[in-house]
Amino acid sequence: MAKRKEDEVKPGAPAWQATFADLMNLLLCFFVLLFSMSTVDAQKFEMIAASFNQTFSIFTAGATAIGDGVLISNGVSQLNELDRFINSTGKMDDGETVSEDVAEAVKEAMEKIEEAQMEESEELAEKIQEAIDERDLNKEIDIDFTSQYVQLTLKGSLLFDSGSTELKPDVLPVLDQVGVILERYAQSTIEIEGHTDNVPMSGAKYSNNDELSSGRALSIFNYLLSTANLDPAMVKHSGRGEYVPVADNSTPEGRTMNRRVEIKIYNSLSSY
């Protein structure tokens, strides 16, 4: 009888594979432990990111340098968010107190930006004032400025009849000159705001002062776009009704001053 062959013994896995598997398990546990120990406040992280976004040239939209390396752009308002974040928290997520030097640097940067904005608005106001003087429009247009914009104010009685949004024929030459000024000097957003007194509307086409002020701002908007070479995307219009008075509505003179249209020419450094 033939001998039966002995059962062949299959070899096991190499020893190095077991060692390697143990090492991978240890590494996995190590990184899971590191991850569990690290926490990130997502909201605060987004606030910090937003404060730098469109402010420094390493991000989109570019930036301009003024002073000793302070960077600004049309997103300069983000610095306000960063300042509020530092002042409101006072500490970083790991408990480390924010350096007073950092807070002081942010404050100085904002002051420099404010100065630069005011200087640009003042220069723009001077140029527009010269243009108004040349055209003898001082009786029709008042000019003022802030760090954000130069404002042209036109009296409502000059522009419209009571309760109407239709421009008076006599004022059209004035608006033509305003359009020329805007073409020449407006480099950023233009906003047209209509304002009224607090006398309630009665028996008119518009049911309240909000509608009336909006309609008047829209009339100026449509006329300027039809006569001047302005980018419609850069021109806004809004009605403010009776809510932003500049004089006492209890007197006829005050109500006359409150019935007005304001054209705000924002400077190139504005955060608007």
Side-chain angles (χ1 to χ4, degrees):
M1 180 181 294
K3 293 183 178 181
R4 186 178 63 182
K5 292 183 179 180
E6 296 180 0
D7 294 334
E8 297 180 0
V9 179
K10 296 182 178 180
W16 67 268
Q17 288 188 1
T19 303
F20 182 79
D22 290 339
L23 176 61
M24 292 298 101
N25 286 332
L26 289 173
L27 288 175
L28 176 61
C29 292
F30 176 73
F31 286 112
V32 169
L33 179 63
L34 288 179
F35 180 79
S36 65
M37 294 172 62
S38 64
T39 59
V40 177
D41 189 320
Q43 184 177 5
K44 290 183 179 179
F45 178 80
E46 291 177 359
M47 290 178 65
I48 295 174
S51 69
F52 288 96
N53 186 29
Q54 295 185 350
T55 301
F56 296 98
S57 57
I58 58 174
F59 290 91
T60 59
T64 305
I66 61 172
D68 297 329
V70 180
L71 299 179
I72 63 174
S73 69
N74 285 337
V76 293
S77 61
Q78 302 295 346
L79 283 178
N80 296 328
E81 294 182 13
L82 178 60
D83 183 52
R84 286 195 296 267
F85 169 72
I86 291 176
N87 291 334
S88 62
T89 60
K91 295 183 178 181
M92 301 300 287
D93 289 341
D94 59 1
E96 180 182 355
T97 303
V98 175
S99 170
E100 293 183 1
D101 293 339
V102 174
E104 185 65 24
V106 171
K107 181 179 179 181
E108 291 180 0
M110 294 182 65
E111 289 176 353
K112 289 184 178 180
I113 291 171
E114 181 78 14
E115 291 175 2
Q117 290 175 320
M118 185 61 74
E119 289 178 2
E120 180 166 332
S121 287
E122 186 174 4
E123 292 177 1
L124 179 60
E126 290 176 355
K127 293 178 182 178
I128 294 177
Q129 185 64 64
E130 291 178 1
I132 290 175
D133 293 340
E134 291 175 358
R135 293 165 172 79
D136 195 22
L137 298 175
N138 288 291
K139 293 182 179 180
E140 291 82 6
I141 301 174
D142 293 328
I143 184 170
D144 197 2
F145 66 91
T146 69
S147 62
Q148 298 289 313
Y149 54 78
V150 176
Q151 177 176 294
L152 309 181
T153 301
L154 293 85
K155 297 178 181 178
S157 58
L158 173 71
L159 299 168
F160 308 98
D161 290 324
S162 178
S164 173
T165 61
E166 184 177 351
L167 290 166
K168 292 182 177 180
D170 294 344
V171 80
L172 298 184
V174 176
L175 290 179
D176 290 338
Q177 296 301 319
V178 171
V180 173
I181 292 173
L182 295 178
E183 283 183 7
R184 181 176 300 178
Y185 298 111
Q187 303 297 321
S188 188
T189 302
I190 301 170
E191 184 171 23
I192 303 170
E193 289 185 354
H195 299 265
T196 67
D197 57 28
N198 65 347
V199 178
M201 300 291 296
S202 60
K205 176 181 178 181
Y206 297 93
S207 59
N208 55 54
N209 285 319
D210 294 336
E211 293 181 2
L212 178 62
S213 62
S214 296
R216 289 180 170 180
L218 182 59
S219 294
I220 301 292
F221 171 85
N222 288 333
Y223 185 81
L224 290 177
L225 289 187
S226 66
T227 58
N229 185 25
L230 301 175
D231 182 1
M234 301 298 291
V235 185
K236 304 179 66 176
H237 59 88
S238 61
R240 305 301 303 275
E242 63 195 66
Y243 308 112
V244 193
V246 293
D248 188 357
N249 274 311
S250 63
T251 65
E253 295 79 10
R255 291 193 293 272
T256 298
M257 294 179 64
N258 289 331
R259 295 191 296 269
R260 68 197 189 279
V261 172
E262 296 174 350
I263 301 177
K264 297 178 179 178
I265 308 169
Y266 287 82
N267 62 52
S268 62
L269 302 181
S270 171
S271 61
Y272 187 85

